[in-house]
Amino acid sequence: KCELPQPVNYENGIPTIPVLNERILPKFVESNRMDKAVNRNGAKLKLFSGTANPALSQEIAWYMGLELGKVNIKRFADGEIYVQLQESVRGCDVYLVQPTCPPANENLMELLIMIDACRRASAKNITAVIPYFGYARADRKASSIYFTQGRESIAAKLVANLITEAGADRVLACDLHSGQSMGYFDIPVDHVYCQPVVLDYLASKKICSGDLVVVSPDVGGVARARSFAKKLSDAPLAIVDKRRHAHNVAEVMNLIGDVKGKVAVMVDDMIDTAGTIAKGAALLHQEGAREVYACCTHAVFSPPAIERLSGGVFQEVIITNTLPVAEKNYFPQLTVLSVANLLGETIWRVHDDCS
């Protein structure tokens, strides 16, 4: 005996029983679990954050209209990392946000263990969202004709293999312009280029296009700077050429291009100790530049970067939040732009199989 969802119809005196599908069931068939069923569309996507950059992960979650997944990450007394998922990921598309910022090795190991935990918990797909892939930094020379496969390339390939072997199905990474460094992976890699975020901000400065000149701080970054200049009202390009004639001999820096009376925008993919970009800015001032801006995606800021950047040679230092910036490293000329919307939109499009 059951309660049907609709009255029994009679055709030629014979009762017609309605077809029962998974959404219209008699009450005695329905279990308590079905009464508490969640929206399956929302449950298929899970976003988890490592401990490297939780602020960026939270911003991504806000943009996507999701709650960050519950995960317990802690260190044992001897430094070993423990990861425990506190909610089910079975059959879900899981996105793990974890840049390899300092301490790089610990954060990388944490990412590997998170991937493994999700794989063992029967996640359908696992995407490692790595806003900053530190071990590929030496591959910045790839745009130079002098680039050769070296030890740095082997290290990047090793890290890529570790991420793949841990169980990742896809990688999502950030860069300013080119993503050749992620070619070490044998799994699909989606590159999010941060150029639009920086370009939109520079457009808000309302600098006259005739006064702009884009500067590459070294020969290896010419392709990046050229691409940036094209999208910045097709601004002219200048290059800082530095060369060392012998060991223990000071670098000789020359400027290729005209910056006199202009607003120079120096473009790089990352700032570590800021030695190259600070020396380049000093040269630009010597050559008559009116103002110098520095733009980069990844702000590593190893000492003495803050002293060099805040020394007065830059009108403004524009970075993104792919890496967290410690409060002690803030200075008046620093502007931090968020890539959370960019990453959040990319995650939705990857999840929905869109372009």
Side-chain angles (χ1 to χ4, degrees):
K1 184 179 179 181
C2 63
E3 296 178 17
L4 296 175
Q6 61 189 64
V8 177
N9 295 323
Y10 288 84
E11 293 182 6
N12 299 324
I14 301 174
T16 302
I17 307 300
V19 176
L20 303 179
N21 56 43
E22 60 179 0
R23 305 310 307 161
I24 305 174
L25 293 174
K27 289 184 179 179
F28 83 98
V29 176
E30 293 184 352
S31 65
N32 292 332
R33 180 173 57 84
M34 292 193 64
D35 290 336
K36 299 177 181 178
V38 296
N39 183 346
R40 288 186 177 271
N41 292 330
K44 284 295 182 183
L45 191 152
K46 299 277 188 178
L47 184 68
F48 290 92
S49 173
T51 60
N53 197 348
L56 174 60
S57 303
Q58 187 60 68
E59 287 186 40
I60 295 172
W62 284 337
Y63 174 83
M64 299 180 68
L66 300 174
E67 292 288 338
L68 281 176
K70 296 177 182 178
V71 58
N72 180 24
I73 303 174
K74 64 180 181 181
R75 262 75 170 169
F76 290 113
D78 62 352
E80 289 185 9
I81 301 168
Y82 172 78
V83 174
Q84 182 185 34
L85 300 175
Q86 296 183 318
E87 59 183 82
S88 174
V89 297
R90 185 179 297 275
C92 295
D93 290 336
V94 176
Y95 294 82
L96 307 174
V97 184
Q98 177 82 338
T100 60
C101 51
N105 296 335
E106 282 198 25
N107 288 327
L108 174 60
M109 193 66 192
E110 184 179 304
L111 174 62
L112 297 175
I113 296 175
M114 288 176 68
I115 294 171
D116 180 69
C118 292
R119 178 58 63 204
R120 293 176 184 274
S122 301
K124 183 181 178 182
N125 290 302
I126 301 172
T127 301
V129 182
I130 311 175
Y132 169 64
F133 185 65
Y135 277 89
R137 69 160 66 188
D139 199 39
R140 287 176 297 166
K141 303 184 189 74
S143 57
S144 169
I145 59 174
Y146 305 109
F147 176 72
T148 57
Q149 285 294 101
R151 298 296 302 176
E152 298 86 356
S153 301
I154 296 173
K157 179 64 176 177
L158 175 62
V159 173
N161 288 340
L162 288 173
I163 292 173
T164 304
E165 290 298 322
D169 298 294
R170 180 181 293 270
V171 170
L172 180 60
C174 280
D175 205 348
L176 184 71
H177 162 62
S178 62
Q180 71 273 10
S181 62
M182 305 303 282
Y184 299 118
F185 286 91
D186 296 323
I187 56 178
V189 178
D190 289 301
H191 261 280
V192 178
Y193 302 126
C194 298
Q195 265 193 6
V197 176
V198 179
L199 289 169
D200 285 349
Y201 178 76
L202 286 174
S204 70
K205 307 295 287 185
K206 296 182 180 178
I207 304 170
C208 179
S209 59
D211 292 340
L212 273 174
V213 58
V214 175
V215 181
S216 173
D218 52 36
V219 176
V222 172
R224 183 188 311 114
R226 184 183 294 116
S227 172
F228 198 86
K230 280 185 178 180
K231 296 176 182 177
L232 202 61
S233 303
D234 204 13
L237 183 67
I239 305 166
V240 175
D241 176 37
K242 61 177 182 180
R243 53 186 75 184
R244 193 188 299 271
H245 296 290
H247 293 295
N248 299 322
V249 176
E251 290 178 338
V252 177
M253 302 187 73
N254 301 303
L255 181 67
I256 304 171
D258 180 27
V259 298
K260 189 171 183 180
K262 294 189 176 183
V263 176
V265 179
M266 299 190 76
V267 181
D268 209 346
D269 58 346
M270 64 178 288
I271 297 177
D272 191 357
T273 60
T276 298
I277 201 165
K279 289 179 181 177
L283 176 63
L284 293 177
H285 281 293
Q286 291 176 14
E287 296 292 330
R290 192 169 80 238
E291 293 177 350
V292 179
Y293 289 81
C295 300
C296 86
T297 304
H298 309 301
V300 181
F301 286 176
S302 302
I306 303 304
E307 290 78 3
R308 289 170 172 169
L309 295 172
S310 60
V313 291
F314 293 104
Q315 178 76 14
E316 195 170 356
V317 178
I318 304 165
I319 65 173
T320 68
N321 62 344
T322 55
L323 283 80
V325 180
E327 190 174 345
K328 64 179 181 180
N329 288 339
Y330 278 89
F331 53 94
Q333 297 89 352
L334 184 66
T335 298
V336 183
L337 306 178
S338 179
V339 295
N341 292 7
L342 203 61
L343 285 171
E345 181 65 25
T346 304
I347 291 172
W348 271 127
R349 294 192 181 197
V350 170
H351 179 67
D352 294 335
D353 296 325
C354 296
S355 172

